[in-house]
């Protein structure tokens, strides 16, 4: 969790998908806790959503940087079918010529 809210830099495919799996498991756990406590009140799920909102946006932006795209592409979430486009972008391989997000090589 060292990059909790870091929108700069790049995130590899594995970093993004491991974070996605972790988040999914946390939401499943929150759902089970809500079901055990009181099925009509989803307070635990709401707290989990608020906790993971900023880190999810940050890792998504870094993943888009790794594919050579701007983090502003995350705005596709607000339009219908935009999530499908983002899913495809998140699955793309690393772009070595990632524009201004290109991998920096150390100078000798």
């Amino acid at each position: 969790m060292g990059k909790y809210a870091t929108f700069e830099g790049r995130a590899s495919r594995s970093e993004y998908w491991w974070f996605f799996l972790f988040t999914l498991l946390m939401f499943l756990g929150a759902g089970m806790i809500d079901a055990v406590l009181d099925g009509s009140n989803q307070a635990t799920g709401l707290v989990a959503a608020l906790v993971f909102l900023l880190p999810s946006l940050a890792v998504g932006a870094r993943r888009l940087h790794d594919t050579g795209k701007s983090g502003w592409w995350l705005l596709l979430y607000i339009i219908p079918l935009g999530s499908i486009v983002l899913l495809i972008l998140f699955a793309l391989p690393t772009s070595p010529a990632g524009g201004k997000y290109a991998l920096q090589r150390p100078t000798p």
Side-chain angles (χ1 to χ4, degrees):
M1 292 297 256
K3 297 180 180 179
Y4 178 81
T6 304
F7 287 81
E8 297 173 349
R10 299 167 67 130
S12 65
R13 271 193 289 190
S14 63
E15 179 183 351
Y16 176 79
W17 290 111
W18 279 111
F19 178 81
F20 180 83
L21 178 63
F22 175 75
T23 304
L24 179 66
L25 293 175
M26 291 298 111
F27 277 113
L28 288 174
M32 284 190 250
I33 290 171
D34 282 337
V36 167
L37 295 178
D38 180 16
S40 65
N41 185 1
Q42 298 177 351
T44 310
L46 178 62
V47 169
L50 290 175
V51 167
F52 284 106
L53 176 64
L54 190 59
S56 296
L57 292 173
V59 75
R62 289 194 318 270
R63 179 67 199 126
L64 287 169
H65 291 170
D66 196 48
T67 62
K69 305 278 188 276
S70 169
W72 288 103
W73 280 72
L74 288 174
L75 290 175
L76 287 175
Y77 275 132
I78 62 175
I79 61 172
L81 303 177
S83 296
I84 295 171
V85 173
L86 284 172
L87 180 67
I88 293 168
L89 290 175
F90 291 148
L92 289 175
T94 296
S95 172
K100 69 179 188 177
Y101 310 107
L103 294 172
Q104 302 297 319
R105 302 195 194 282
T107 56

